[in-house]
Amino acid sequence: MELTPRLQAIADQIPRGGKLADIGTDHGYLPAWLLLSGRIEHAVATDLRKMPLEHAQETAQRFGVADQISFRLCDGLTAVTSEEVDTVVIAGMGGETISSILKAAPWTREGKQLVLQPMTGFAELRKWLQENRYVIHGEQIVREGKRLYSIWTVTGGEMPPLSSAELWAGRQGGGPLRRDYLTLMRGKAEKALCGQRAARTPDQAVVAELEDVLSGLSKMERELDTMVTVGEVFAFLQEIAPFELQESFDNAGFLVGRETARVSKILVALDITEPVIHEAAEQEAQLIVAHHPVIFGGAKSITDQTVTGQILLDLVENHIAAICAHTNLDAVEGGVNDALALRLGLADIGLLKQSGIDGQSRPYGIGRVGRVPEQSLYDFALGVKRLLGANGLRIVDGGKPVRRVAVGGGACAEMMGEALACGCDTFVTSDVKYHSFLEAKALGMNLIDAGHFPTEDVVCPVLQSWLTKQFPQISTSISKRHFEVFSYL
């Protein structure tokens, strides 16, 4: 079974293992294909008209998936409940119709993914979504025959205000067809403006709005010509966290992709995992900036038979580049350890151990020290757990109140001696081995293992802030699918 380019692009946005509602299912090709490919477990297919629903049932029977689809003759989502589905597709309808369907089903804002493909009324639908607490995370442009279709991935949430041009054409993105789509939107706006100006009594407010739309669309087209490359992002990161500062065992740097590839969206994550890559692909991000290197111990082959090989294949096949700033980002000012110290409320922050001075005369080194108001270890540890969002802590009580604290994002327990030499009574780090806990107890040092992910994920908002400030024309977001991999009983 082969889908049309439009339906295939929609199918590619559906998360694996989910339950689908296909609204206005027509011939039922989408749910049938998703079930045949093992992408979903069950589907609800609805249509307002009896004949299209019967055609969908015939499709399901022909491909042997009729028992996995519930067919319902109804208006939009009126016969669908929140518990039945986690992904809703509404495609091939006008924007006004789509908004009316969603208005009647406010539960679609609560933990659901929507895939919308309006045929008309793009600006009106985007405005309605913005005003009714929905977020458009990505827009993909696909060509089918002579037509261009815009496919949106949407969830509940607060969306930043859209300009008049963005209401018409969305934010930058959409892949290689973005320019063609902007040209199409500009043609529609110009036609509408000509119609207004030719009217006997033009609506001057509408004329002014359309002129603003056209100005914004022209700016978007110009920005495509000045789009940032992967190499430019790497050069910027080299300035603030020089890669030559990385430890000898490390493999930080520009690890996957083409230096000349253009970037309109960046996804920031602590690690590059398959869920993170899928998230980036859904957002149409061309670059992932991560902390931990996606290639670390060396790769003798790149196949789908290893975890690393599969991840590298996923990156290449989705045309996603990877830049990883690891121990260099641990050491530099403003990096992992400063972010950790600031998150925990340390004052008078200084280096735990200076490793050297970079080419711009800036001291660098792993770990930070600072002071906090005197408090019990129990109270301080509760704050660490809350502030880092840790699933749990491992603690050694050194028998002292907490006043002077050392922090080391990631595995830094071997720096306990430096922490003691700096007069610290408490050390927050991760991946602590048994003998280090024994040593801390013997030395009278409060030692808190807060987990590798919580002590380093604090740098992701920093990276996002740096990249957004340097490249305001790029959409930079933090992964929402990467989190602590283990829990505590």
Side-chain angles (χ1 to χ4, degrees), residues 420-437:
L420 282 168
C422 288
C424 294
D425 47 68
T426 305
F427 191 17
V428 180
T429 185
S430 74
D431 299 349
V432 178
K433 294 183 179 179
Y434 177 67
H435 71 84
S436 295
F437 281 121

Side-chain angles (χ1 to χ4, degrees), residues 146-163:
K146 295 183 178 181
R147 297 198 64 167
L148 291 176
Y149 298 93
S150 180
I151 298 163
W152 311 350
T153 53
V154 177
T155 65
E158 298 296 329
M159 182 161 46
L162 297 171
S163 69

Side-chain angles (χ1 to χ4, degrees), residues 297-420:
K300 294 184 177 180
S301 63
I302 302 176
T303 72
D304 60 0
Q305 301 305 299
T306 65
V307 173
T308 298
Q310 183 62 62
I311 287 173
L312 294 175
L313 286 172
D314 283 349
L315 285 169
V316 172
E317 290 169 355
N318 285 284
H319 305 287
I320 299 172
I323 297 173
C324 302
H326 191 208
T327 51
N328 56 316
L329 190 59
D330 287 326
V332 298
E333 182 180 352
V336 172
N337 285 287
D338 277 312
L340 178 58
L342 289 170
R343 179 68 65 87
L344 297 183
L346 272 61
D348 299 330
I349 298 170
L351 291 175
L352 175 57
K353 178 183 179 182
Q354 182 172 329
S355 300
I357 297 176
D358 69 12
Q360 299 180 44
S361 300
R362 298 173 299 190
Y364 67 90
I366 303 295
R368 298 292 185 269
V369 297
R371 59 177 177 80
V372 296
E374 183 173 330
Q375 57 197 283
S376 71
L377 176 61
Y378 178 78
D379 289 338
F380 179 72
L382 281 180
V384 170
K385 185 175 186 293
R386 175 179 57 83
L387 291 166
L388 298 185
N391 290 335
L393 306 177
R394 296 191 298 161
I395 304 172
V396 162
D397 188 341
K400 300 174 182 175
V402 179
R403 289 188 292 258
R404 188 161 174 79
V405 179
V407 299
C412 294
E414 73 280 359
M415 300 183 73
M416 194 162 18
E418 284 85 352
L420 282 168

